[in-house]
């Protein structure tokens, strides 16, 4: 490992951040069996100490809980972080279309200007900051034209409240419309060794237009971390409890894959998760890899992936193991 964190620019915004980012969905607690605030704050601060500057959150992660925790963790250290948060999943209005309920509150997909103006102020307050570095539409809203949404985001950028514009969970036609506005800096999409659909439909567009891609679930909700074995028991509202992706058979395949790349991990004195994250960042079109952590140990393990440089031979060995062990994973 080189000891230096890999950094990259977010689109054409001029905003630079660590290629490894801390994802804070789990820190919000919802669908992850609750949260420990002290441990979460320590995880965020450990990430900063290790050179991870990109911190990704969203209002929907615990109905503001994740943003509040991020804000507490960054108190006095705001200048060390590049904050990405989101808009478009709202519970203060029933405009748009119903998406899900959380804690008894209906959450709607809505990206109208009125909601965006309201949401950004709420996020700024929870985060304890006067600007958001990357503001992302969380899920797309079929009731509002993308052009209207982008105009609202451009107004926020002109006002200095946000520095870069992103979109998440888009299809190819939506991405094309965002790109045509000329204001899109980044997309955030699910991508991992076992979730690679965007390679065919989205990444060719982002590469051609200079739009960055942030991968989320880079470790497939922990399945590829090397820490979720066949004997793991999931409890409470942990979303993995009834997820077919986390069947015993799949977890055994993930273990077999981990065993198959031991030569790579040994060569770099790296963990399984670090090699998986570094592989992700080596894929064409993937600019940043978001990785969740709920305690300092997990945060530091992920952070070290940003200092790992895989060789061509390493990547070939990993791809061979991937094809042999994970190609037919169910779910």
């Amino acid at each position: 490992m080189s000891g230096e964190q890999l950094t990259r620019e977010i689109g054409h915004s001029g905003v630079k951040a660590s290629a490894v980012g801390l994802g804070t969905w789990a820190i919000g607690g919802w669908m992850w069996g609750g949260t420990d605030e002290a441990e979460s704050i320590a995880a965020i601060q450990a990430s900063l100490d290790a050179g991870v500057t990109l911190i990704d959150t969203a209002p929907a992660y615990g109905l503001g809980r994740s943003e509040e925790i991020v804000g507490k963790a960054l108190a006095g250290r705001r200048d060390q972080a590049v904050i990405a948060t989101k808009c478009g999943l709202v519970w203060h209005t029933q405009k748009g279309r119903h998406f899900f309920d959380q804690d008894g509150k209906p959450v709607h997909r809505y990206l109208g200007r009125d909601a965006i103006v309201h949401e950004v102020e709420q996020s700024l307050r929870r985060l304890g900051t006067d600007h958001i570095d990357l503001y992302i539409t969380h899920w797309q809203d079929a009731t509002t034209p993308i052009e209207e949404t982008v105009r609202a985001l451009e107004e926020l950028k002109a006002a200095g409240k946000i520095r870069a514009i992103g979109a998440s969970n888009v299809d190819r036609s939506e991405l094309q419309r965002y790109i045509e506005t000329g204001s899109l800096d980044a997309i955030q999409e699910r991508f991992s060794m076992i979730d690679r659909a965007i390679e065919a439909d989205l990444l060719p567009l982002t590469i051609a237009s200079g739009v960055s891609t942030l991968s989320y679930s880079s470790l497939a909700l922990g399945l590829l971390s090397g820490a979720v074995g066949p004997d793991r028991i999931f409890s409470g509202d942990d979303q993995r409890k009834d997820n077919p992706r986390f069947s015993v058979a799949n977890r055994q395949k993930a273990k077999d894959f981990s065993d198959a790349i031991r030569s790579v991990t040994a060569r770099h004195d790296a963990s399984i998760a670090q090699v998986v994250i570094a592989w992700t960042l080596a894929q064409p079109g993937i600019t940043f890899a978001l990785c969740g952590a709920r305690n300092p140990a997990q945060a530091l393990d992920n952070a070290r992936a940003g200092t790992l440089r895989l060789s061509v031979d390493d990547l070939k060995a990993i791809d061979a193991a991937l094809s042999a062990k994970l190609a037919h994973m169910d779910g």
Side-chain angles (χ1 to χ4, degrees):
M1 297 192 187
S2 72
E4 296 181 359
Q5 281 289 342
L6 178 64
T7 60
R8 291 171 171 171
E9 184 176 354
I10 301 174
H12 302 292
S13 68
V15 179
K16 294 184 178 180
S18 58
V20 173
L22 175 64
T24 65
W25 180 12
I27 282 174
W30 177 62
M31 296 182 73
W32 288 91
T35 190
D36 182 314
E37 181 174 306
E39 279 281 87
S40 298
I41 290 173
I44 296 166
Q45 294 177 339
S47 295
L48 292 176
D49 292 340
V52 169
T53 59
L54 179 59
I55 310 295
D56 178 80
T57 185
Y61 300 163
L63 298 181
R65 186 74 175 122
S66 176
E67 285 188 326
E68 290 172 349
I69 291 173
V70 169
K72 291 179 181 179
L74 296 184
R77 305 185 66 175
R78 173 64 181 92
D79 61 340
Q80 299 175 32
V82 175
I83 299 176
T85 193
K86 306 176 186 73
C87 61
L89 295 186
V90 299
W91 58 93
H92 72 282
T93 179
Q94 294 190 20
K95 292 181 180 179
R97 293 181 179 173
H98 180 263
F99 193 19
F100 57 79
D101 292 334
Q102 184 177 162
D103 294 342
K105 295 181 180 180
V107 177
H108 287 235
R109 295 191 196 187
Y110 181 56
L111 286 166
R113 181 185 180 281
D114 57 323
I116 290 174
V117 170
H118 171 83
E119 281 201 90
V120 75
E121 297 299 335
Q122 299 304 306
S123 288
L124 290 170
R125 175 183 57 79
R126 287 189 290 257
L127 290 164
T129 186
D130 62 357
H131 71 280
I132 292 161
D133 298 291
L134 175 61
Y135 203 41
I136 303 166
T137 56
H138 200 160
W139 285 85
Q140 301 312 303
D141 164 28
T143 71
T144 305
I146 285 172
E147 295 74 14
E148 176 185 330
T149 296
V150 171
R151 282 195 299 272
L153 296 172
E154 289 171 336
E155 290 176 13
L156 295 182
K157 188 174 181 181
K161 295 188 177 184
I162 67 174
R163 299 177 66 198
I165 294 171
S168 186
N169 300 303
V170 295
D171 61 29
R172 184 179 175 87
S173 64
E174 290 165 340
L175 174 57
Q176 185 65 58
R177 288 170 63 192
Y178 270 106
I179 289 173
E180 288 170 356
T181 69
S183 294
L184 186 69
D185 294 298
I187 61 170
Q188 184 178 137
E189 300 293 329
R190 185 171 69 171
F191 178 86
S192 72
M193 289 179 166
I194 54 177
D195 293 298
R196 302 178 67 172
I198 67 170
E199 288 179 325
D201 58 359
L202 301 185
L203 293 185
L205 291 177
T206 60
I207 292 170
S209 61
V211 169
S212 294
T213 297
L214 291 73
S215 70
Y216 71 77
S217 292
S218 304
L219 293 171
L221 303 181
L223 183 60
L224 301 175
S225 68
V228 181
D231 299 328
R232 176 72 173 269
I233 303 296
F234 302 106
S235 61
D237 72 344
D238 192 317
Q239 61 179 307
R240 296 171 293 183
K241 183 171 61 174
D242 300 313
N243 187 337
R245 173 64 65 80
F246 284 82
S247 67
V248 172
N250 281 352
R251 282 182 274 151
Q252 182 62 54
K253 291 177 183 178
K255 181 181 183 302
D256 293 343
F257 168 76
S258 297
D259 292 340
I261 62 169
R262 292 294 178 188
S263 61
V264 178
T265 61
R267 184 156 53 249
H268 293 280
D269 190 24
S271 69
I272 297 297
Q274 288 162 7
V275 169
V276 171
I277 296 166
W279 175 93
T280 303
L281 289 171
Q283 302 311 297
I286 302 297
T287 322
F288 302 93
L290 301 175
C291 311
R294 305 187 72 177
N295 58 58
Q298 293 173 353
L300 291 173
D301 192 71
N302 292 344
R304 293 189 187 104
T307 69
L308 175 58
R309 307 293 186 263
L310 297 174
S311 69
V312 172
D313 287 342
D314 290 331
L315 292 169
K316 287 181 179 178
I318 295 167
D319 286 338
L322 178 57
S323 296
K325 305 299 182 183
L326 297 180
H328 304 293
M329 185 169 283
D330 300 324

